[in-house]
Each structure stands twice: as C-alpha cells, then as structure tokens.
Amino acid sequence: MDLSARNLRVLVTAGAAGIGRAIAKAFADAGARVHICDVDQKALDEFKRDISGAGHSLVDIADPVAVATLFEEVRRGLGGLDVLVNNAGIAGPTAAVEDITPGDWERTVAVNLNGMFYCTRAAVPLLKAAGGGSIVNLSSVAGRLGFPLRTPYAASKWAVVGFTESLAIELGPFNIRVNAIQPGVVAGERINRVIDAKAKALGLTFDAYKAQLLSKVSLRRTVSAEDIAGMALFLSTPAGQNITGQSLSVCGGVQTLA
C-alpha cells in the first residue's frame, strides 16, 4: 500500500492544533510540503516550534478576503497545490432551537460551510493546474445522525456531505477526488467542551453524559486525532486513488447521538 506523500503540496485549514495538527504532521512525516492556516496565533506559534518547514498563515476562513490572501501565500510558498484538507470548523452553540440566536447560527454556518466553499473555490484552479489532486472535507458523525441541542453544527455537517458528493461528480473529469471524513467522539479539549455543555443542558454530570455518549459507540471508546489523520493521508495518496464521493466515518461505530 502506497501512503507516500512525497512532494505533495498540501494545505490544511485550522492546522495548528487538534485534528488539523495531526493531519498536517501526518502529511509532513510522509514527505509532503505542508502549509497550514489557523485563527489562533498562539497555536500557530506552538506549531512553528514543533513542526519545522511548514508554511503558516493567520486566517479566519469565514472571511473571503482573508482566504484570497491565504491562497496567494500558498501559491508563493508551495508553487501550487495537490491536496486541500478542509478541516476548519467550530462546535457552535448547545441549546434548544428556540434559544439559538441568529448570530450563533450564522457564525457556525460561516465557518463550517461557507469557509469550506471559499477555500475550495480558490483551490480548484490550482488542483486543475496540477493535473488532479484530492480534497478532503471534515464532516462529522453529526453529518449522518441527528444531534439534538446541536442543530447548527449538525445542519452544517450534513451540508458538507452534499457539498462533497456534488463536487466529486463535478471534478472527477479533472482527476480531482473529493471525499469527506466523519469523525466520531475524538478525544481532546474540544469534545470535552461539547460534553460539558451538553451535560449541563441535560442536567447531568460530565462523567455521566460522557458514559452515556460512549455507551452508543460500538467499540465503547473515543477515537484519536491521529486516526482521522490516517484516513486523510490514505484518501490523498496513491492508496486512495480510486476513492471519491464518499463520506467515511472514523468513529468506532457511533449508533446514535440522541
């Protein structure tokens, strides 16, 4: 199985921490030339110290002007693009639908969906110029299951699936593969914040809600950021050269989020 990413030119959004950092490191370790962007300057500084040789930009991908500047930096730094990993996303609010503000809804969609669109539309000409490539979009198991009290997040992640499948058909003739990854309960600070918010909304303790959540996972455990990174690498290297239009769960078998 060929998982070499040698000389691939890769952009990972929100690549300074969490899943994005794991993806960026996996590609770099496999020989790719990597550029990341992130909205968190402190995380970018830590990334620069720990992973040398990668390009980096401070960017809010919900801002189309900032995304245009990002891609100018990618062109200068990498000379083109072979892989786009649309990893950036936010958890959004945890609340009953009638208590969610329009501002919270709009911000969730702006980052999770609009930002993905801005990056993809800028990336496609570069991928076409390269003779093909791979786009990997981060959805979620909430993009295939209902997620009560988390409707902005779930709606945006379902939309990512439609975006992915449509682009796979559109871009296939240009040898551009487009797939989505649907992570489950990924261990780390972000899921801890989500569990804490959901536990409070349900009147449960953190540990009680976490146990309830994992009881609906076939393997009864979380997955790691490195698990997600491995799938992104697989989809973007020769090992995954005939996979496109798919939404692949890396979740341990999540049955329900209700």
Side-chain angles (χ1 to χ4, degrees):
M1 183 182 297
D2 187 355
L3 293 173
S4 172
R6 183 168 301 280
N7 295 324
L8 287 181
R9 298 162 297 181
V10 181
L11 171 63
V12 182
T13 66
I19 292 172
R21 180 190 176 95
I23 291 172
K25 186 175 187 305
F27 275 99
D29 288 348
R33 297 168 56 205
V34 177
H35 192 105
I36 70 161
C37 70
D38 208 286
V39 74
D40 185 336
Q41 183 64 62
K42 181 180 178 182
L44 279 171
D45 291 340
E46 292 174 357
F47 178 92
K48 286 185 289 184
R49 284 198 299 270
D50 297 340
I51 302 177
S52 61
H56 45 83
S57 303
L58 182 66
V59 177
D60 178 356
I61 63 153
D63 178 354
V65 175
V67 169
T69 300
L70 166 66
F71 275 83
E72 286 301 320
E73 293 174 358
V74 168
R75 286 188 190 92
R76 289 197 302 269
L78 298 181
L81 193 67
D82 301 295
V83 178
L84 169 66
V85 182
N86 279 313
N87 169 69
I90 60 173
T94 299
V97 67
E98 65 269 27
D99 296 325
I100 294 169
T101 67
D104 282 344
W105 175 278
E106 290 163 5
R107 178 60 181 168
T108 306
V109 172
V111 176
N112 294 1
L113 184 59
N114 295 353
M116 188 174 290
F117 162 68
Y118 300 146
C119 290
T120 301
R121 72 183 295 270
V124 164
L126 298 179
L127 296 172
K128 287 181 177 178
S134 173
I135 299 172
V136 178
N137 297 325
L138 270 289
S139 177
S140 166
V141 289
R144 65 177 176 84
L145 300 168
F147 202 0
L149 302 179
R150 299 294 310 287
T151 52
Y153 181 79
S156 66
K157 293 302 185 179
W158 277 78
V160 168
V161 173
F163 185 65
T164 297
E165 293 187 12
S166 300
L167 282 175
I169 298 168
E170 179 179 332
L171 298 177
F174 301 96
N175 193 34
I176 298 171
R177 307 185 306 282
V178 189
N179 294 287
I181 301 175
Q182 296 182 313
V185 184
V186 181
E189 292 182 5
R190 178 172 172 173
I191 194 61
N192 288 343
R193 292 194 297 270
V194 171
I195 290 172
D196 186 58
K198 192 77 181 280
K200 289 175 180 175
L202 295 173
L204 299 173
T205 66
F206 178 95
D207 289 339
Y209 179 66
K210 182 176 182 180
Q212 177 181 310
L213 186 64
L214 293 181
S215 74
K216 298 167 184 175
V217 178
S218 297
L219 294 179
R220 302 295 194 271
R221 61 178 182 251
T222 61
V223 298
S224 70
E226 288 71 25
D227 292 328
I228 312 306
M231 179 61 80
L233 186 65
F234 174 81
L235 291 170
S236 302
T237 53
Q241 64 184 342
N242 288 312
I243 301 174
T244 195
Q246 305 304 306
S247 296
L248 302 167
S249 289
V250 181
C251 65
V254 176
Q255 302 151 21
T256 177
L257 293 170

